[in-house]
Every structure is written in structure tokens, then in C-alpha cells.
Amino acid sequence: SAIAVNISSGHASVQLQAVSRELVSALRYARGQALISRQQVTVAMDLSENSYKISHRKKVYSFDADIEMTVVVADSEFDGDAVAEIRFFADGSSTGGRITLEWANLLTQIDVNWLTAQVKIVDESE
């Protein structure tokens, strides 16, 4: 049974890292599109559905319901219905924020700098 627990926790770790990297890629893509198009681009995260969507795209990206997502953004970027947005502007800035993904005892935090719109994973721990 010890082996099964280790395999299970390893799977959770790999899956959480994969979701984190995909979300980081989506945020960086949105930043790049804002710069190229010279228009605002948002990434909307639906906390109740464990999903996110990039503006001007129809696809909704979902992830495992066992992953708990919390988002810290400006009040103006939270609609009150469990959807939080991070907005990227044509000048290279953003509204900024922090996204935390948590699964069991695993945690990943993604920061978006409001001034530079730099996106990075700042903390991964078990």
C-alpha cells in the first residue's frame, strides 16, 4: 500500500505541475496577444468550474475538480459570480494578481506582475 500512495501522490504532483504550466502559458500567450494586437486581452478564471478562458477564444480549459484554485485580483476584476480576470494591456502592463493551485498537500502559486505583466511560478512545495 505504501507504493500505491507514492504513485498516487506522484501523479497528483505531475498533474498539478502540468496544470500550472498550462495556465502560465495561457497567461503569457494573453500578454503576447495584447502586445501584438494592441488590444486588451483577459484570462478569466472560473473558480466554481475549475476552468479558464482567454478572451477572443471560444475554448474553455478545464482541470481536475480535486485542484482548488484561489485567485487574488483587484475588486474590479472579480464579477462576484466566482469569475476572476487578469487583464493584459497593449502597453505591456496588466491588472496583476496571484493564482494559487492546491491539491492535497501540494501547492503552486503563479504571480502576474501588474507593472510588467511578467508571469512566473513563485512557489512550489509539498
Side-chain angles (χ1 to χ4, degrees):
S1 75
I3 293 172
V5 170
N6 287 339
I7 291 171
S8 165
S9 103
H11 172 70
S13 176
V14 168
Q15 190 166 356
L16 186 61
Q17 287 176 1
V19 169
S20 300
R21 288 186 186 121
E22 288 172 11
L23 186 51
V24 165
S25 292
L27 291 160
R28 288 177 178 161
Y29 171 82
R31 180 183 184 268
Q33 288 302 300
L35 291 168
I36 290 168
S37 69
R38 308 292 298 157
Q39 295 180 349
Q40 290 183 28
V41 177
T42 62
V43 176
M45 290 146 293
D46 188 327
L47 305 175
S48 64
E49 297 293 326
N50 269 14
S51 65
Y52 60 93
K53 181 181 182 299
I54 302 168
S55 61
H56 311 300
R57 298 187 112 193
K58 292 181 181 182
K59 182 170 175 145
V60 174
Y61 302 88
S62 298
F63 50 90
D64 196 297
D66 291 333
I67 298 174
E68 182 179 332
M69 176 171 53
T70 55
V71 181
V72 177
V73 293
D75 279 346
S76 61
E77 299 301 322
F78 188 72
D79 76 358
D81 289 329
V83 176
E85 293 184 335
I86 294 181
R87 188 175 312 275
F88 295 90
F89 301 104
D91 66 359
S93 65
S94 75
T95 55
R98 171 171 277 179
I99 303 161
T100 303
L101 301 172
E102 197 169 352
W103 191 349
N105 62 340
L106 305 169
L107 177 78
T108 299
Q109 294 178 335
I110 301 166
D111 272 354
V112 180
N113 183 291
W114 68 271
L115 183 59
T116 64
Q118 179 185 16
V119 179
K120 65 179 181 173
I121 295 175
V122 293
D123 184 29
E124 286 189 47
S125 61
E126 291 186 22

